[in-house]
Amino acid sequence: QVQLVESGGGLVQAGGSLRLSCAASGRTTSRSAMGWFRQCPGKEREFVAGISWSGGRTYYAESVKGRFTISRDNAKNTVYLQMNSLKPEDTAVYYCAAPHVEYGLGLPGSKYDYWGQGTQVTVSS
């Protein structure tokens, strides 16, 4: 019902910036909260940022707060993650995710049901 496709990952020097995009298709996507997660080798997947269905509320992991910004364009069914001041520890596969429920807030503890394939972000020192 919902398909998510990430893009925008790549190799960047520490201190640089990248913007990830997640193109969504599906009946409920534009009315659902969305989130970004990341997973480093040997580590569990972790929450990075979430956004409410309307875009009015955002949430961030402490490790990225002040550096990353999540936003969305519901008309395009697209969510973005602007990543500034990147650090080597930000290196991970980044996944876009969406819950099945509508009108969510994008809280870190929310259940996400749909996932993209991931996009690799590598930050060199």
Side-chain angles (χ1 to χ4, degrees):
Q1 186 173 357
V2 176
Q3 185 173 6
L4 308 173
V5 180
E6 303 97 333
S7 62
L11 175 64
V12 65
Q13 294 281 344
S17 298
L18 285 173
R19 189 179 77 159
L20 306 183
S21 298
C22 174
S25 61
R27 182 177 180 86
T28 65
T29 302
S30 65
R31 294 181 292 174
S32 298
M34 299 185 74
W36 285 97
F37 292 74
R38 67 186 182 187
Q39 187 168 21
C40 302
K43 299 179 66 176
E44 295 184 357
R45 183 180 58 198
E46 65 176 351
F47 172 85
V48 175
I51 188 167
S52 62
W53 76 274
S54 66
R57 289 181 176 268
T58 57
Y59 305 90
Y60 299 94
E62 288 296 325
S63 60
V64 307
K65 191 175 296 183
R67 300 188 297 119
F68 291 10
T69 302
I70 188 171
S71 62
R72 68 189 300 163
D73 184 342
N74 284 352
K76 297 181 178 180
N77 280 344
T78 301
V79 64
Y80 306 96
L81 184 67
Q82 178 67 46
M83 305 185 294
N84 298 326
S85 301
L86 283 162
K87 305 174 181 179
E89 51 263 43
D90 295 319
T91 295
V93 177
Y94 284 73
Y95 297 91
C96 180
H100 177 71
V101 298
E102 295 182 315
Y103 312 118
L105 298 177
L107 291 165
S110 299
K111 182 177 184 295
Y112 289 85
D113 301 287
Y114 307 104
W115 298 85
Q117 83 287 349
T119 185
Q120 177 71 48
V121 172
T122 303
V123 184
S124 61
S125 59

